Amino acid sequence: MLVKVYGSAVFGIEASTITVEVNIDKGIGYHLVGLPDKAVSESSFRISAALNNNSYTLPGKKIIINMAPADIRKEGAAYDLTLAIGILAASGQIQSKNIDQYLIMGELSLDGSLQPIKGVLPMAIKAREEGFHYFIVPHENAKEAAIVDNLEVLGAHNMIEVINHFNGDEKIKPTFVDTKAEFYNNLDVPEFDFADVKGQESIKRCMEIAAAGGHNIILIGPPGSGKTMLAKRLPSILPPMTLKEALETTKIHSVIGNTKDQGLMYHRPFRSPHHTISNVALVGGGQYPKPGEISLSHNGVLFLDELPEFKREVLEVMRQPLEDRDVTISRAKFTVTYPCSFMLVASMNPSPSGYFNDPNAPMTSSPQEMQRYLSKISGPLLDRIDIHIEVTPVPFEKLSEERKGESSVEIRKRVTKAREIQFQRFSEYESVHYNAQMSVKQIREFCKLSDESLSLLKTAMEKLSLSARAYDRILKVSRTIADLANENEISSDHIAEAIQYRSLDREGWLG
């Protein structure tokens, strides 16, 4: 008897439907074809044990299973339940009526219980697109799949529940999620708050500007000055994610299994990889490509602590994704693209000893050590960082103050208002949403300066020995400062403030 059941394969953050054809005929043998990997090929042992432990049997006949399309590689144990239900239906042990309306995925344990799988959200979206009425998944994945409307998601704890559902003995209750209601109800107060930061008012202002314009930022200061604490609080002042952004972000995290029992991601991601990270772990890749840290930071913040400690080649592979806001990974037979529109926040000590330019600490690094330390950060990478700010230690008087600073909620209101201004400004441009994304042409259009402002910028470039790359960055940042002030024209005050945020371009830092 021939039966067709349906599963799904994920490539990048998109899914493709897999047709599993099960044919049982006279003879003996178990043949699985259609480009399965080792984990899929081993499914026969898991299926056999699960069936025997639940009073069902693997038919003692010739079983041929084809997973189509045959040119797409099938990987992982998530097809266990699909294959098991196909075998039971083809051997007449369960009813196969309307089985073609179901997409079925799940990993089997030897006792028949179901283990959670990866990539459920892209699978559910594809199932709805292709007209499936039902999606059977492990119970832990049901909430995530139920984000998708117009698709009945059936979360099962074990194989017996699925068998009973098809036989009509006991139907699995669908899982329903009011996506919009849950999304808007979970936009609550952030975990980390700028109100907890003592002093550092100028740095908070700088972080607000970075958030308002989507500018990449680097914090330079000695150990213990609060660089990491400030970076962790940056997501708390970014505008709340839209529902579209939340779905995009959840899809990426679903692919690596970060969304079990969670459903939709409501908060912007904050990723902080260790400086020993490899190229592949940062940008994505592998034999079967998976998203890297830059894609897991999509719509959020990527924090690189102690930037010069990262391998230079690791930092260099990040340059193109920073510009293009997506990363494409090519293999011989396929290509996948992951989005990676994130804010880069980096921190570094000003020298190997950490106390360069500190009058209260001895200078313990030689000029040669300084040069080696700073040379790890290339000019092209700095070209993609709009704001450089020096962070100084907080004096005791500020640390001992009882008064709390301004909360993240209040700062976020100003940031959101500035982003709305930018959204209207760039409404005619499909790929530009905030100031940091402006091209040279758009800078010339939206960052026009008066003679006074232009004169000030020229004087600063000459007297402070600012590099040529600083020019456009200063214009972008000054445009954001004007937006925060709700002013159409960029004034000399806005230019003057933006000039302060180019520390690493000054003479004596990178030469």
Side-chain angles (χ1 to χ4, degrees):
M1 181 178 176
L2 174 64
V3 168
K4 292 183 181 181
V5 291
Y6 298 92
S8 193
V10 176
F11 298 93
I13 57 171
E14 304 299 330
S16 298
T17 299
I18 302 298
T19 303
V20 178
E21 301 173 313
V22 183
N23 187 71
I24 298 180
D25 208 343
K26 294 178 181 179
I28 296 177
Y30 184 95
H31 307 282
L32 181 59
V33 297
L35 211 60
D37 73 351
K38 185 69 172 175
V40 181
S41 298
E42 292 171 347
S43 63
S44 61
F45 301 107
R46 292 189 294 273
I47 292 169
S48 178
L51 291 174
N52 288 334
N53 288 326
N54 288 279
S55 303
Y56 288 87
T57 58
L58 195 68
K61 295 184 179 181
K62 186 176 183 180
I63 303 173
I64 299 176
I65 302 175
N66 178 43
M67 304 181 76
D71 61 339
I72 294 179
R73 189 166 184 81
K74 324 305 182 301
E75 58 175 281
Y79 297 100
D80 288 355
L81 183 62
T82 323
L83 299 173
I85 295 301
I87 291 169
L88 290 171
S91 61
Q93 297 182 70
I94 64 170
Q95 297 178 20
S96 57
K97 183 181 178 182
N98 298 331
I99 203 168
D100 60 342
Q101 297 178 10
Y102 290 79
L103 192 77
I104 306 168
M105 294 294 288
E107 178 183 342
L108 282 173
S109 296
L110 299 186
D111 63 355
S113 59
L114 293 175
Q115 300 299 317
I117 61 175
K118 301 175 182 178
V120 165
L121 182 56
M123 293 177 187
I125 292 170
K126 189 65 175 179
R128 181 184 63 182
E129 288 176 359
E130 301 212 342
F132 288 97
H133 296 160
Y134 310 98
F135 186 17
I136 296 179
V137 292
H139 186 265
E140 289 89 340
N141 296 120
K143 188 174 180 181
E144 178 187 340
I147 292 170
V148 179
D149 297 331
N150 302 319
L151 179 71
E152 278 201 22
V153 175
L154 310 176
H157 293 90
N158 53 59
M159 184 177 65
I160 290 299
E161 289 184 8
V162 181
I163 292 171
N164 290 338
H165 176 84
F166 280 111
N167 285 336
D169 298 332
E170 186 176 353
K171 293 290 185 181
I172 302 173
K173 293 181 180 179
T175 300
F176 292 107
V177 172
D178 188 338
T179 306
K180 289 184 178 179
E182 285 220 356
F183 174 72
Y184 292 111
N185 289 338
N186 279 277
L187 296 177
D188 53 1
V189 177
E191 180 182 359
F192 297 105
D193 199 307
F194 270 104
D196 301 325
V197 180
K198 299 292 182 69
Q200 304 288 26
E201 299 305 324
S202 62
I203 314 302
K204 292 179 192 176
R205 166 67 176 173
C206 190
M207 301 289 271
E208 179 180 339
I209 293 166
H215 301 288
N216 299 324
I217 182 172
I218 184 167
L219 308 172
I220 312 120
S225 57
K227 302 185 295 295
T228 301
M229 180 180 67
L230 288 160
K232 285 183 176 179
R233 282 157 177 75
L234 182 58
S236 70
I237 62 172
L238 289 172
M241 281 205 291
T242 63
L243 186 55
K244 181 182 177 182
E245 287 177 328
L247 284 167
E248 267 185 356
T249 307
T250 306
K251 280 175 72 175
I252 298 170
H253 286 258
S254 173
V255 169
I256 65 166
N258 272 3
T259 52
K260 185 180 73 171
D261 286 329
Q262 179 180 339
L264 196 65
M265 292 183 65
Y266 307 104
H267 306 296
R268 294 187 182 274
F270 179 88
R271 305 291 296 187
S272 180
H274 193 260
H275 61 77
T276 56
I277 192 171
S278 67
N279 300 10
V280 171
L282 184 66
V283 301
Q287 185 179 2
Y288 306 119
K290 294 290 185 249
E293 289 292 333
I294 63 173
S295 294
L296 296 173
S297 307
H298 182 59
N299 291 322
V301 173
L302 176 67
F303 177 47
L304 301 184
D305 198 8
E306 302 299 341
L307 188 68
E309 299 299 331
F310 285 78
K311 296 175 186 175
R312 186 181 175 109
E313 60 269 21
V314 171
L315 296 178
E316 292 304 292
V317 298
M318 194 171 58
R319 281 164 43 186
Q320 186 175 350
L322 270 171
E323 197 73 25
D324 298 341
R325 301 191 180 273
D326 59 39
V327 57
T328 299
I329 302 166
S330 297
R331 294 293 179 263
K333 292 185 178 179
F334 59 90
T335 298
V336 297
T337 298
Y338 294 109
C340 57
S341 181
F342 60 92
M343 272 187 67
L344 173 63
V345 179
S347 74
M348 60 178 282
N349 295 331
S351 65
S353 67
Y355 297 100
F356 176 67
N357 279 351
D358 187 343
N360 300 316
M363 180 67 177
T364 58
S365 301
S366 69
Q368 292 79 13
E369 289 174 327
M370 284 284 296
Q371 185 60 37
R372 280 197 301 272
Y373 180 73
L374 296 173
S375 66
K376 292 184 179 181
I377 310 171
S378 69
L381 179 61
L382 279 178
D383 278 346
R384 292 159 175 83
I385 301 178
D386 295 347
I387 297 176
H388 315 154
I389 186 70
E390 294 181 61
V391 183
T392 55
V394 181
F396 177 78
E397 292 76 15
K398 288 287 184 182
L399 285 174
S400 58
E401 280 185 355
E402 292 293 331
R403 182 175 60 87
K404 282 198 168 188
E406 189 177 23
S407 71
S408 291
V409 173
E410 292 302 314
I411 300 172
R412 177 189 273 182
K413 289 177 183 177
R414 296 194 296 269
V415 168
T416 303
K417 188 174 181 180
R419 284 285 185 103
E420 288 170 356
I421 292 171
Q422 294 164 52
F423 182 79
Q424 293 297 325
R425 175 183 299 134
F426 303 122
S427 58
E428 297 179 4
Y429 299 93
E430 186 176 343
S431 59
V432 181
H433 305 291
Y434 41 85
N435 291 335
Q437 297 175 328
M438 283 192 289
S439 65
V440 173
K441 181 181 177 181
Q442 290 153 355
I443 291 172
R444 301 296 176 263
E445 181 181 354
F446 298 115
C447 302
K448 294 177 180 177
L449 301 181
S450 65
D451 292 340
E452 181 186 359
S453 298
L454 197 59
S455 176
L456 174 62
L457 181 54
K458 180 182 178 182
T459 303
M461 297 277 294
E462 292 172 351
K463 290 195 173 182
L464 298 176
S465 300
L466 296 177
S467 65
R469 65 174 171 255
Y471 180 77
D472 284 347
R473 305 292 157 182
I474 289 172
L475 290 179
K476 286 183 179 182
V477 174
S478 61
R479 177 67 270 170
T480 300
I481 295 170
D483 290 340
L484 280 167
N486 198 20
E487 295 181 12
N488 293 324
E489 302 297 326
I490 298 175
S491 70
S492 56
D493 290 341
H494 304 145
I495 289 289
E497 184 176 0
I499 290 168
Q500 298 176 43
Y501 305 140
R502 296 301 301 180
S503 294
L504 291 181
D505 283 316
R506 295 176 189 171
E507 193 172 18
W509 280 102
L510 296 183

